[in-house]
Every structure is written in C-alpha cells, then in structure tokens.
Amino acid sequence: MAKLTIDNIDEYAEPVESTRQILTPDKDGLINYEYVIPSGGSGNGCVAVDDLFPDGVAGMSDRFGWASSEGLSDLWIETYTLNEDGTVTFVIYVPKS
C-alpha cells in the first residue's frame, strides 16, 4: 500500500465495477457509501469530502481507504474521485491476479 499512488493504481489493481457509485455530498459535506464485493464481503463508510480533496481539485484522491486481514488475497482499496459537478465517484479496487 505504501507504494500505491493515483498514478500507478491501475498497474497493480483493478476496479470492481459493481461497487462503482456516484455520490452526492450531504449538507455537511459527507459522502456515505456501502458496497458488496461479488467474491464475498461487504462494507460501508462515511467520509468528509474536504478531507479527501482539501484543495477542491477534481480527480482521484491520494487518500485511499483499505482493508485486509490476510494480505493481498483479501485486500480491498477504497478510491474516491471528485467529479467536476461536485459529486464523488467511489470504487473498490482489488489486486490484479
């Protein structure tokens, strides 16, 4: 995870398209999400858009969320991309096989 960046994530991981969501921040600037991984497992969360995008510039945030209990075999990487219209695209990535 220490080597993962927004510039190289596609080299090491692939998106789980079924987790892709376009989220609109609430009145407090928070986005709420939940997802199910087809291979098993689920999760949810809430995060402040200002924490992910302190400069307010559209693009993928370099602040990845992640979870794993067994190393790469069950690693899930949460990504957030600020869209031009102020929405946020949330997608889970998993390591490439």
Side-chain angles (χ1 to χ4, degrees), residues 44-94:
N44 61 53
C46 177
V47 65
V49 174
D50 288 345
D51 289 344
L52 295 172
F53 308 98
D55 56 7
V57 175
M60 186 181 279
S61 175
D62 62 356
R63 297 174 183 176
F64 302 120
W66 60 278
S68 174
S69 61
E70 298 177 21
L72 289 178
S73 65
D74 71 342
L75 177 63
W76 299 344
I77 305 161
E78 298 176 356
T79 65
Y80 315 89
T81 301
L82 182 62
N83 303 310
E84 293 289 338
D85 65 359
T87 60
V88 176
T89 300
F90 170 86
V91 182
I92 295 289
Y93 276 69
V94 294

Side-chain angles (χ1 to χ4, degrees), residues 7-73:
D7 295 321
N8 71 13
I9 190 169
D10 290 319
E11 290 179 46
Y12 300 107
E14 58 193 3
V16 178
E17 289 301 329
S18 65
T19 66
R20 185 177 299 272
Q21 302 168 52
I22 306 295
L23 306 168
T24 301
D26 67 14
K27 65 179 177 53
D28 298 318
L30 302 173
I31 55 169
N32 294 281
Y33 56 88
E34 51 186 71
Y35 57 87
V36 175
I37 302 290
S39 60
S42 62
N44 61 53
C46 177
V47 65
V49 174
D50 288 345
D51 289 344
L52 295 172
F53 308 98
D55 56 7
V57 175
M60 186 181 279
S61 175
D62 62 356
R63 297 174 183 176
F64 302 120
W66 60 278
S68 174
S69 61
E70 298 177 21
L72 289 178
S73 65

